[in-house]
Amino acid sequence: MSSPTALVADNLTKIIGRRTIVDAVSFSLDPGEVFGFLGPNGAGKTTTIRMLVGLIRPTAGSVTICGVDLRRDFEKAMRNVGCIVENPDLYRFLTGRENLEHFARMLGVKTSEIDRVAALVSLAHRLDQRVGTYSLGMRQRLGIAQALLGDPRVLILDEPANGLDPAGIREIRELLRRLARERGMSVFVSSHLLAEIELMCDRVAIIHHGTILREGPVRDLISSRREMEFRVGDVARAAEIARERGLTVRADTDRLWISIDENDAPPLVAAFAAAGVPLFHASRRVDTLEEMFLQATGGETVD
Amino acid sequence: MLNLIHNETLKILRRRRFAVVIGILFAILAVVTYSQYRQLAFRAQRNWRADVQERIARGENMLRRGRINQNWSQSVRAEINRLQFYLDHDIEPNRPTTPLFVRNFANVAGFLLLPLLIAILGSDIVSAEHAEGTDKLLLTRPVRRWKVLSSKLATLWIFATLTLLCGALMAYGISALALPRRGWTAPTFTGFDFSRGAFHIEAVRQLPLWKDTLIAYGLEWYALIAVASIALMLSVLFRSSAAAIGTMLAALIGGTILTRISPDWTAGKYLFVSALPLADYYSGSPPPYPDMTMAFDLTLLAVWAAAALVVAYALFLRRDVFG
């Protein structure tokens, strides 16, 4: 028998006054899966997360965690969840260790757990200093350590890369992937950065104006928009060469955008060189989220 | 639940709220002790019987002129009778001693200082969690909201009790340095009954001071538990601790002023502030409204506390936590 779905959000809706902030959002997480929740600020990401963890009562819809309805048995459902909502706000006047002890006492978890989770996020050396002296990156780590207390089945993290330096982002990304792979933990990660979601997640849902525009495996959503940018000496000639090879080309005065995968670029570059077109710069174009939305909404504005 | 109370206690102590309260108590007690010490030196040169007789004469003059309202004249008459009682029994009223100082601390601090300190302790117990964003973690742990709020209420009650105890101990410790330390067994008079404007001498009982002190502190404790419950509600109601402290301050001072300036507006007796000086009423101060009995005061405070808790729980259990 397969294990039950880790988290199911069914038809989640939140209406405040006349404004519909979240409109019939549904998705589910399987065990061992890293799920990305992508959307710009104000899209309803945080409201959705607050409904997932019981901070906000949904106007309609339900949340089920490891087979337990959140509204029906809050304690049993939340025992399976570790989370950070919005900012990793912990008690600044307590030390990192005291914070972890505080939440360990709420869970009834042994204090020996504290050293284990602190080591996981590489925070052991600063654990006995006051959180008020921590940088945002360290508070982010402490928040994740707190979420890992009690070995939850589901991890819900809101913008976990905020405040981390690139090395830190990479470290946390690897930690989350490892937890999903080795312990079968389901990880829900929200972000407004496409690149981050792309590197970390198996599956992604894109939310905008309170509704999910698209949902699917990360590769499917992103590979359809592979494009490279070339800065060349002779735009007209270069465009001609690319078109001859059956590629789609958009041109500007000093550069072109060609729909080509990085792996297929070297032959094209060789062709430019053979034709005497000077090439100054070539790079993979990173899609901006805005363009993703334009694509997801068929190029129309969403308003 | 003990784990939760442990957490709340840690937070109050580490926020330094209790240290502030103890500091304020220390400063005030030190100043008052010094003034009592000076008073002691001053009294030694005077004849207390003459003083008491003069005060009685002044009161009688005031009544004879008759330009004061009904309530006020009743309380003046009561005060005259009380002083006469001390005179007849040859007991010097209010001679400063350490035991009397501890006893009077309950009366004097009971209706403004201690409730205010409880407000300082209690006002941010919920609101600070919201202001600092930690409520998002506190309320997403597998602990139901009513348990979280109950642990905060229990912690507040514990600290209200501690504040009163520390106040009493400090009043003893500080005044013992400057005032005579003996006198726990000195007779005190209680049961002054001013109902219907008359002084009923048959109700007066004599108690040793230590017994009288215990009763006064018991009453004061009851009042502070009610204040702590109201402070919890304010902390749930307001998102900032400054607003919560301010509201409590306004209620305490406003209520006190109201009962002084418009004693004829009898609905004022239903304000919780009117019932706060329980210990004071018990030791013979006439209440601002003649028909306030001890039973009425105790019931009034219980009703206010219960209503405050109903509001606090209803709101805390149901509300959405936004950023």
Side-chain angles (χ1 to χ4, degrees):
Chain A
M1 195 187 116
S2 65
S3 46
T5 312
L7 184 146
V8 182
D10 181 28
N11 197 33
L12 277 183
T13 303
K14 182 68 185 179
I15 300 170
I16 297 174
R18 284 189 184 165
R19 236 153 51 83
T20 305
I21 294 173
V22 174
D23 191 8
V25 162
S26 300
F27 55 82
S28 63
L29 265 79
D30 290 326
E33 180 181 45
V34 182
F35 184 85
F37 199 51
L38 189 62
N41 296 325
K45 267 183 311 186
T46 295
T47 305
T48 306
I49 291 176
R50 283 174 188 260
M51 286 193 281
L52 291 183
V53 296
L55 288 175
I56 294 180
R57 198 183 283 245
T59 310
S62 67
V63 175
T64 311
I65 297 166
C66 297
V68 182
D69 185 285
L70 184 68
R71 291 282 294 280
R72 201 159 300 150
D73 193 344
F74 179 80
E75 285 185 10
K76 197 175 169 198
M78 287 309 286
R79 195 155 279 284
N80 296 305
V81 178
C83 64
I84 302 179
V85 179
E86 225 159 356
N87 305 308
D89 290 315
L90 289 121
Y91 299 102
R92 286 167 173 263
F93 52 89
L94 300 179
T95 66
R97 183 182 301 282
E98 285 168 331
N99 265 291
L100 293 178
E101 282 167 355
H102 176 278
F103 291 108
R105 273 193 290 271
M106 290 189 83
L107 284 164
V109 165
K110 286 196 298 286
T111 41
S112 59
E113 270 279 280
I114 288 170
D115 291 306
R116 183 184 71 85
V117 294
L120 276 178
V121 297
S122 333
L123 201 66
H125 62 296
R126 292 287 301 272
L127 213 48
D128 292 308
Q129 292 170 11
R130 276 181 47 234
V131 172
T133 68
Y134 282 19
S135 66
L136 179 55
M138 279 192 290
R139 279 188 282 131
Q140 197 68 260
R141 287 167 194 262
L142 184 61
I144 294 172
Q146 175 279 130
L148 289 173
L149 279 173
D151 216 1
R153 308 301 309 144
V154 181
L155 209 52
I156 296 175
L157 306 176
D158 200 355
E159 305 272 1
N162 267 4
L164 289 170
D165 54 33
I169 293 179
R170 187 186 164 132
E171 193 186 329
I172 294 303
R173 187 165 68 223
E174 278 163 8
L175 169 68
L176 296 180
R177 290 227 59 107
R178 198 172 76 232
L179 289 169
R181 194 174 59 239
E182 291 173 5
R183 315 188 75 120
M185 214 178 261
S186 303
V187 184
F188 176 101
V189 180
S190 84
S191 181
H192 63 282
L193 300 172
L194 184 61
E196 189 185 310
I197 292 283
E198 185 184 349
L199 285 168
M200 203 182 317
C201 301
D202 305 309
R203 219 148 47 82
V204 65
I206 299 174
I207 183 170
H208 194 43
H209 286 285
T211 51
I212 289 187
L213 296 179
R214 277 196 177 190
E215 195 209 317
V218 170
R219 294 289 137 209
D220 292 0
L221 287 180
I222 288 167
S223 60
S224 62
R225 290 229 10 115
R226 272 295 128 88
E227 202 175 52
M228 285 191 71
E229 179 181 305
F230 296 87
R231 203 148 64 75
V232 293
D234 185 347
V235 173
R237 181 89 185 94
E240 194 182 317
I241 293 168
R243 289 208 180 89
E244 278 166 12
R245 301 170 84 89
L247 297 165
T248 314
V249 179
R250 288 186 296 128
D252 196 358
T253 51
D254 66 336
R255 68 192 70 195
L256 0 135
W257 293 275
I258 302 171
S259 59
I260 188 170
D261 199 80
E262 237 172 359
N263 299 329
D264 305 325
L268 180 64
V269 172
F272 286 161
V277 175
L279 174 68
F280 304 115
H281 175 90
S283 65
R284 209 186 88 202
R285 221 174 100 81
V286 179
D287 267 344
T288 62
L289 194 55
E290 193 186 337
E291 283 165 300
M292 284 289 293
F293 286 122
L294 289 179
Q295 196 198 4
T297 56
E300 290 165 35
T301 51
V302 208
D303 291 301
Chain B
M1 187 52 100
L2 279 179
N3 275 342
L4 296 182
I5 293 175
H6 180 168
N7 281 345
E8 296 306 324
T9 306
L10 176 76
K11 285 185 275 187
I12 285 194
L13 291 177
R14 293 299 298 276
R15 273 189 218 278
R16 307 258 164 85
R17 286 294 175 274
F18 196 55
V20 168
V21 163
I22 295 300
I24 293 173
L25 277 177
F26 182 86
I28 290 177
L29 286 169
V31 171
V32 176
T33 299
Y34 180 72
S35 75
Q36 289 273 290
Y37 172 71
R38 296 303 301 255
Q39 178 129 34
L40 194 64
F42 182 65
R43 271 169 181 259
Q45 306 155 10
R46 297 191 59 154
N47 178 354
W48 68 267
R49 298 187 126 263
D51 276 352
V52 170
Q53 275 159 352
E54 193 196 317
R55 278 164 68 191
I56 292 174
R58 222 183 297 145
E60 281 170 345
N61 270 332
M62 209 186 284
L63 289 179
R64 211 169 306 127
R65 272 188 237 114
R67 267 196 234 116
I68 46 182
N69 74 30
Q70 180 78 16
N71 282 330
W72 184 238
S73 78
Q74 275 175 16
S75 73
V76 170
R77 200 167 294 131
E79 178 68 9
I80 290 170
N81 287 322
R82 200 170 67 93
L83 289 171
Q84 189 62 48
F85 189 84
Y86 282 110
L87 214 52
D88 294 348
H89 289 74
D90 196 24
I91 293 161
E92 180 183 353
N94 306 323
R95 181 174 170 269
T97 63
T98 291
L100 195 62
F101 186 83
V102 174
R103 166 66 182 82
N104 284 344
F105 174 73
N107 281 9
V108 175
F111 69 92
L112 193 59
L113 178 63
L114 288 174
L116 200 58
L117 294 180
I118 304 300
I120 292 177
L121 278 176
S123 61
D124 61 4
I125 198 160
V126 177
S127 60
E129 299 267 5
H130 184 76
E132 292 164 18
T134 45
D135 54 350
K136 293 176 304 200
L137 279 178
L138 196 66
L139 300 180
T140 54
R141 302 293 70 214
V143 176
R144 290 181 164 282
R145 288 192 188 185
W146 69 264
K147 285 185 190 164
V148 172
L149 193 62
S150 299
S151 72
K152 287 183 179 293
L153 177 65
T155 308
L156 213 47
W157 281 352
I158 290 170
F159 273 90
T161 310
L162 279 178
T163 304
L164 185 65
L165 279 179
C166 288
L169 288 176
M170 284 164 65
Y172 184 84
I174 295 171
S175 64
L177 299 174
L179 303 177
R181 255 158 281 174
R182 305 180 67 105
W184 281 116
T185 53
T188 57
F189 298 97
T190 182
F192 295 99
D193 181 358
F194 303 113
S195 54
R196 299 170 304 279
F199 178 61
H200 305 283
I201 195 154
E202 66 280 2
V204 174
R205 284 172 294 127
Q206 187 180 321
L207 278 182
L209 182 55
W210 65 268
K211 220 174 193 173
D212 181 57
T213 305
L214 282 183
I215 294 172
Y217 274 87
L219 290 169
E220 192 48 42
W221 177 77
Y222 183 88
L224 289 184
I225 291 295
V227 171
S229 311
I230 294 169
L232 183 82
M233 175 190 72
L234 292 177
S235 190
V236 172
L237 226 49
F238 292 103
R239 296 293 167 94
S240 93
S241 32
I245 294 183
T247 306
M248 185 61 115
L249 187 66
L252 290 173
I253 294 176
T256 309
I257 293 173
L258 201 67
T259 55
R260 298 273 150 84
I261 62 168
S262 45
D264 297 322
W265 180 62
T266 52
K269 71 181 173 190
Y270 295 110
L271 298 174
F272 80 93
V273 184
S274 309
L276 275 189
L278 279 181
D280 216 20
Y281 300 158
Y282 159 74
S283 56
S285 296
Y289 306 98
D291 55 344
M292 286 180 83
T293 62
M294 190 56 81
F296 175 86
D297 291 341
L298 292 173
T299 314
L300 185 71
L301 285 177
V303 169
W304 269 91
L309 290 181
V310 167
V311 172
Y313 274 85
L315 216 65
F316 190 78
L317 295 194
R318 305 174 60 114
R319 81 169 161 210
D320 287 343
V321 181
F322 288 99

